[in-house]
Amino acid sequence: MAATTDKTGAAEQRPSYEQAREELIDVVRRLEQGGSTLEESLALWERGEQLARWCQEWLDGARERLDAALASEDA
C-alpha cells in the first residue's frame, strides 16, 4: 500500500487495487440498501469516489506498463 494524504492532511494507507475494488463494492451495496442517515450516505459516497479514483489510477498505471512492455517487444 502506498501512503496518500487525505483532505485534512493526514496520511493514510492506499489499498491495493483488489482491496479498493472490494471496498467499493461494499460501499455501493450499502448505499443501494438505504437506511443510512444523510451524513452516513455522504461519507459513503465520498469514500466510494475516492476508491473509484484509486481503482482508475491502478488501471491506468497497469495500461501504461502494458503499453511500455509491448512497445519494448516491438523495438
Side-chain angles (χ1 to χ4, degrees):
M1 286 188 205
T4 60
T5 305
D6 67 13
K7 293 177 187 175
T8 65
E12 65 178 12
Q13 290 298 311
R14 187 177 209 171
S16 69
Y17 171 78
E18 291 79 8
Q19 291 167 328
R21 186 191 66 223
E22 289 303 314
E23 187 179 346
L24 180 56
I25 290 168
D26 184 57
V27 165
V28 170
R29 181 189 52 77
R30 291 171 61 191
L31 284 168
E32 287 177 341
Q33 278 181 329
S36 299
T37 66
L38 177 60
E39 201 58 39
E40 291 168 338
S41 295
L42 285 172
L44 283 169
W45 180 269
E46 289 172 344
R47 181 62 177 170
E49 287 288 326
Q50 181 181 49
L51 291 164
R53 215 172 15 260
W54 286 343
C55 285
Q56 189 60 55
E57 288 172 8
W58 275 107
L59 292 172
D60 291 345
R63 168 54 66 191
E64 289 173 11
R65 289 175 59 191
L66 239 156
D67 290 345
L70 291 172
S72 69
E73 284 182 5
D74 291 340

PDB file of all heavy atoms in Angstrom, residues 55-74:
ATOM      1  N   CYS A  55      -8.928   3.071  -7.981  1.00  0.00           N
ATOM      2  CA  CYS A  55      -9.028   1.935  -8.907  1.00  0.00           C
ATOM      3  C   CYS A  55      -8.665   2.377 -10.321  1.00  0.00           C
ATOM      4  O   CYS A  55      -7.930   1.680 -11.025  1.00  0.00           O
ATOM      5  CB  CYS A  55     -10.436   1.343  -8.880  1.00  0.00           C
ATOM      6  SG  CYS A  55     -10.789   0.350  -7.408  1.00  0.00           S
ATOM      7  N   GLN A  56      -9.165   3.531 -10.733  1.00  0.00           N
ATOM      8  CA  GLN A  56      -8.858   4.030 -12.069  1.00  0.00           C
ATOM      9  C   GLN A  56      -7.366   4.310 -12.223  1.00  0.00           C
ATOM     10  O   GLN A  56      -6.766   4.005 -13.259  1.00  0.00           O
ATOM     11  CB  GLN A  56      -9.675   5.280 -12.389  1.00  0.00           C
ATOM     12  CG  GLN A  56      -9.562   5.718 -13.828  1.00  0.00           C
ATOM     13  CD  GLN A  56     -10.049   4.634 -14.787  1.00  0.00           C
ATOM     14  OE1 GLN A  56     -11.181   4.168 -14.665  1.00  0.00           O
ATOM     15  NE2 GLN A  56      -9.215   4.236 -15.728  1.00  0.00           N
ATOM     16  N   GLU A  57      -6.742   4.861 -11.180  1.00  0.00           N
ATOM     17  CA  GLU A  57      -5.301   5.118 -11.232  1.00  0.00           C
ATOM     18  C   GLU A  57      -4.519   3.810 -11.344  1.00  0.00           C
ATOM     19  O   GLU A  57      -3.543   3.738 -12.085  1.00  0.00           O
ATOM     20  CB  GLU A  57      -4.863   5.908 -10.000  1.00  0.00           C
ATOM     21  CG  GLU A  57      -5.340   7.354 -10.031  1.00  0.00           C
ATOM     22  CD  GLU A  57      -5.066   8.095  -8.728  1.00  0.00           C
ATOM     23  OE1 GLU A  57      -4.364   7.549  -7.833  1.00  0.00           O
ATOM     24  OE2 GLU A  57      -5.577   9.220  -8.589  1.00  0.00           O
ATOM     25  N   TRP A  58      -4.940   2.776 -10.604  1.00  0.00           N
ATOM     26  CA  TRP A  58      -4.293   1.471 -10.710  1.00  0.00           C
ATOM     27  C   TRP A  58      -4.413   0.942 -12.133  1.00  0.00           C
ATOM     28  O   TRP A  58      -3.445   0.450 -12.720  1.00  0.00           O
ATOM     29  CB  TRP A  58      -4.920   0.469  -9.748  1.00  0.00           C
ATOM     30  CG  TRP A  58      -4.374   0.506  -8.354  1.00  0.00           C
ATOM     31  CD1 TRP A  58      -5.011   1.010  -7.246  1.00  0.00           C
ATOM     32  CD2 TRP A  58      -3.110   0.028  -7.893  1.00  0.00           C
ATOM     33  NE1 TRP A  58      -4.212   0.866  -6.145  1.00  0.00           N
ATOM     34  CE2 TRP A  58      -3.037   0.258  -6.507  1.00  0.00           C
ATOM     35  CE3 TRP A  58      -2.037  -0.584  -8.531  1.00  0.00           C
ATOM     36  CZ2 TRP A  58      -1.924  -0.104  -5.745  1.00  0.00           C
ATOM     37  CZ3 TRP A  58      -0.938  -0.937  -7.768  1.00  0.00           C
ATOM     38  CH2 TRP A  58      -0.889  -0.691  -6.398  1.00  0.00           C
ATOM     39  N   LEU A  59      -5.629   1.028 -12.699  1.00  0.00           N
ATOM     40  CA  LEU A  59      -5.851   0.523 -14.054  1.00  0.00           C
ATOM     41  C   LEU A  59      -5.067   1.325 -15.086  1.00  0.00           C
ATOM     42  O   LEU A  59      -4.499   0.746 -16.023  1.00  0.00           O
ATOM     43  CB  LEU A  59      -7.348   0.542 -14.382  1.00  0.00           C
ATOM     44  CG  LEU A  59      -8.195  -0.443 -13.581  1.00  0.00           C
ATOM     45  CD1 LEU A  59      -9.675  -0.192 -13.844  1.00  0.00           C
ATOM     46  CD2 LEU A  59      -7.814  -1.873 -13.893  1.00  0.00           C
ATOM     47  N   ASP A  60      -5.027   2.638 -14.924  1.00  0.00           N
ATOM     48  CA  ASP A  60      -4.245   3.474 -15.843  1.00  0.00           C
ATOM     49  C   ASP A  60      -2.763   3.111 -15.786  1.00  0.00           C
ATOM     50  O   ASP A  60      -2.100   3.018 -16.818  1.00  0.00           O
ATOM     51  CB  ASP A  60      -4.442   4.958 -15.527  1.00  0.00           C
ATOM     52  CG  ASP A  60      -5.845   5.462 -15.843  1.00  0.00           C
ATOM     53  OD1 ASP A  60      -6.594   4.775 -16.567  1.00  0.00           O
ATOM     54  OD2 ASP A  60      -6.196   6.551 -15.330  1.00  0.00           O
ATOM     55  N   GLY A  61      -2.263   2.898 -14.574  1.00  0.00           N
ATOM     56  CA  GLY A  61      -0.862   2.506 -14.410  1.00  0.00           C
ATOM     57  C   GLY A  61      -0.572   1.158 -15.036  1.00  0.00           C
ATOM     58  O   GLY A  61       0.470   0.967 -15.666  1.00  0.00           O
ATOM     59  N   ALA A  62      -1.496   0.233 -14.870  1.00  0.00           N
ATOM     60  CA  ALA A  62      -1.323  -1.088 -15.474  1.00  0.00           C
ATOM     61  C   ALA A  62      -1.308  -0.980 -16.992  1.00  0.00           C
ATOM     62  O   ALA A  62      -0.504  -1.638 -17.669  1.00  0.00           O
ATOM     63  CB  ALA A  62      -2.442  -2.024 -15.013  1.00  0.00           C
ATOM     64  N   ARG A  63      -2.188  -0.145 -17.551  1.00  0.00           N
ATOM     65  CA  ARG A  63      -2.238   0.046 -19.005  1.00  0.00           C
ATOM     66  C   ARG A  63      -0.920   0.637 -19.511  1.00  0.00           C
ATOM     67  O   ARG A  63      -0.383   0.203 -20.519  1.00  0.00           O
ATOM     68  CB  ARG A  63      -3.417   0.948 -19.369  1.00  0.00           C
ATOM     69  CG  ARG A  63      -3.437   1.459 -20.800  1.00  0.00           C
ATOM     70  CD  ARG A  63      -3.348   0.394 -21.863  1.00  0.00           C
ATOM     71  NE  ARG A  63      -4.505  -0.465 -21.871  1.00  0.00           N
ATOM     72  CZ  ARG A  63      -4.571  -1.601 -22.567  1.00  0.00           C
ATOM     73  NH1 ARG A  63      -3.554  -1.994 -23.311  1.00  0.00           N
ATOM     74  NH2 ARG A  63      -5.631  -2.355 -22.528  1.00  0.00           N
ATOM     75  N   GLU A  64      -0.381   1.615 -18.776  1.00  0.00           N
ATOM     76  CA  GLU A  64       0.886   2.222 -19.177  1.00  0.00           C
ATOM     77  C   GLU A  64       2.015   1.191 -19.167  1.00  0.00           C
ATOM     78  O   GLU A  64       2.838   1.155 -20.080  1.00  0.00           O
ATOM     79  CB  GLU A  64       1.229   3.387 -18.248  1.00  0.00           C
ATOM     80  CG  GLU A  64       0.341   4.607 -18.447  1.00  0.00           C
ATOM     81  CD  GLU A  64       0.585   5.686 -17.407  1.00  0.00           C
ATOM     82  OE1 GLU A  64       1.583   5.594 -16.647  1.00  0.00           O
ATOM     83  OE2 GLU A  64      -0.244   6.608 -17.343  1.00  0.00           O
ATOM     84  N   ARG A  65       2.040   0.354 -18.136  1.00  0.00           N
ATOM     85  CA  ARG A  65       3.083  -0.674 -18.057  1.00  0.00           C
ATOM     86  C   ARG A  65       2.944  -1.679 -19.193  1.00  0.00           C
ATOM     87  O   ARG A  65       3.948  -2.101 -19.769  1.00  0.00           O
ATOM     88  CB  ARG A  65       3.018  -1.373 -16.702  1.00  0.00           C
ATOM     89  CG  ARG A  65       3.482  -0.485 -15.563  1.00  0.00           C
ATOM     90  CD  ARG A  65       3.316  -1.126 -14.218  1.00  0.00           C
ATOM     91  NE  ARG A  65       4.063  -2.372 -14.109  1.00  0.00           N
ATOM     92  CZ  ARG A  65       3.925  -3.225 -13.109  1.00  0.00           C
ATOM     93  NH1 ARG A  65       3.081  -2.985 -12.131  1.00  0.00           N
ATOM     94  NH2 ARG A  65       4.642  -4.336 -13.084  1.00  0.00           N
ATOM     95  N   LEU A  66       1.708  -2.053 -19.486  1.00  0.00           N
ATOM     96  CA  LEU A  66       1.458  -2.985 -20.585  1.00  0.00           C
ATOM     97  C   LEU A  66       1.891  -2.383 -21.915  1.00  0.00           C
ATOM     98  O   LEU A  66       2.557  -3.050 -22.722  1.00  0.00           O
ATOM     99  CB  LEU A  66      -0.025  -3.306 -20.633  1.00  0.00           C
ATOM    100  CG  LEU A  66      -0.398  -4.757 -20.486  1.00  0.00           C
ATOM    101  CD1 LEU A  66      -1.800  -4.870 -19.968  1.00  0.00           C
ATOM    102  CD2 LEU A  66      -0.231  -5.484 -21.764  1.00  0.00           C
ATOM    103  N   ASP A  67       1.506  -1.134 -22.140  1.00  0.00           N
ATOM    104  CA  ASP A  67       1.892  -0.460 -23.378  1.00  0.00           C
ATOM    105  C   ASP A  67       3.402  -0.370 -23.516  1.00  0.00           C
ATOM    106  O   ASP A  67       3.952  -0.585 -24.599  1.00  0.00           O
ATOM    107  CB  ASP A  67       1.262   0.941 -23.446  1.00  0.00           C
ATOM    108  CG  ASP A  67      -0.247   0.900 -23.663  1.00  0.00           C
ATOM    109  OD1 ASP A  67      -0.779  -0.172 -24.038  1.00  0.00           O
ATOM    110  OD2 ASP A  67      -0.893   1.934 -23.431  1.00  0.00           O
ATOM    111  N   ALA A  68       4.086  -0.062 -22.408  1.00  0.00           N
ATOM    112  CA  ALA A  68       5.543   0.033 -22.433  1.00  0.00           C
ATOM    113  C   ALA A  68       6.177  -1.320 -22.730  1.00  0.00           C
ATOM    114  O   ALA A  68       7.123  -1.412 -23.504  1.00  0.00           O
ATOM    115  CB  ALA A  68       6.068   0.592 -21.104  1.00  0.00           C
ATOM    116  N   ALA A  69       5.624  -2.374 -22.137  1.00  0.00           N
ATOM    117  CA  ALA A  69       6.165  -3.712 -22.373  1.00  0.00           C
ATOM    118  C   ALA A  69       5.957  -4.117 -23.833  1.00  0.00           C
ATOM    119  O   ALA A  69       6.867  -4.689 -24.446  1.00  0.00           O
ATOM    120  CB  ALA A  69       5.498  -4.716 -21.431  1.00  0.00           C
ATOM    121  N   LEU A  70       4.786  -3.836 -24.366  1.00  0.00           N
ATOM    122  CA  LEU A  70       4.519  -4.162 -25.758  1.00  0.00           C
ATOM    123  C   LEU A  70       5.389  -3.346 -26.709  1.00  0.00           C
ATOM    124  O   LEU A  70       5.864  -3.875 -27.712  1.00  0.00           O
ATOM    125  CB  LEU A  70       3.039  -3.942 -26.082  1.00  0.00           C
ATOM    126  CG  LEU A  70       2.066  -4.921 -25.411  1.00  0.00           C
ATOM    127  CD1 LEU A  70       0.628  -4.486 -25.651  1.00  0.00           C
ATOM    128  CD2 LEU A  70       2.306  -6.332 -25.898  1.00  0.00           C
ATOM    129  N   ALA A  71       5.628  -2.095 -26.371  1.00  0.00           N
ATOM    130  CA  ALA A  71       6.480  -1.249 -27.213  1.00  0.00           C
ATOM    131  C   ALA A  71       7.918  -1.726 -27.206  1.00  0.00           C
ATOM    132  O   ALA A  71       8.599  -1.691 -28.231  1.00  0.00           O
ATOM    133  CB  ALA A  71       6.405   0.203 -26.740  1.00  0.00           C
ATOM    134  N   SER A  72       8.386  -2.208 -26.063  1.00  0.00           N
ATOM    135  CA  SER A  72       9.767  -2.699 -25.994  1.00  0.00           C
ATOM    136  C   SER A  72       9.928  -4.019 -26.757  1.00  0.00           C
ATOM    137  O   SER A  72      11.002  -4.318 -27.240  1.00  0.00           O
ATOM    138  CB  SER A  72      10.217  -2.856 -24.538  1.00  0.00           C
ATOM    139  OG  SER A  72       9.537  -3.913 -23.912  1.00  0.00           O
ATOM    140  N   GLU A  73       8.858  -4.800 -26.841  1.00  0.00           N
ATOM    141  CA  GLU A  73       8.919  -6.030 -27.637  1.00  0.00           C
ATOM    142  C   GLU A  73       9.031  -5.727 -29.121  1.00  0.00           C
ATOM    143  O   GLU A  73       9.669  -6.458 -29.867  1.00  0.00           O
ATOM    144  CB  GLU A  73       7.653  -6.877 -27.399  1.00  0.00           C
ATOM    145  CG  GLU A  73       7.642  -7.604 -26.094  1.00  0.00           C
ATOM    146  CD  GLU A  73       6.400  -8.465 -25.936  1.00  0.00           C
ATOM    147  OE1 GLU A  73       5.601  -8.571 -26.877  1.00  0.00           O
ATOM    148  OE2 GLU A  73       6.236  -9.043 -24.849  1.00  0.00           O
ATOM    149  N   ASP A  74       8.384  -4.654 -29.547  1.00  0.00           N
ATOM    150  CA  ASP A  74       8.393  -4.265 -30.973  1.00  0.00           C
ATOM    151  C   ASP A  74       9.714  -3.631 -31.383  1.00  0.00           C
ATOM    152  O   ASP A  74      10.045  -3.611 -32.562  1.00  0.00           O
ATOM    153  CB  ASP A  74       7.251  -3.282 -31.260  1.00  0.00           C
ATOM    154  CG  ASP A  74       5.888  -3.955 -31.160  1.00  0.00           C
ATOM    155  OD1 ASP A  74       5.819  -5.194 -31.248  1.00  0.00           O
ATOM    156  OD2 ASP A  74       4.892  -3.228 -30.997  1.00  0.00           O
TER     157      ASP A  74
END
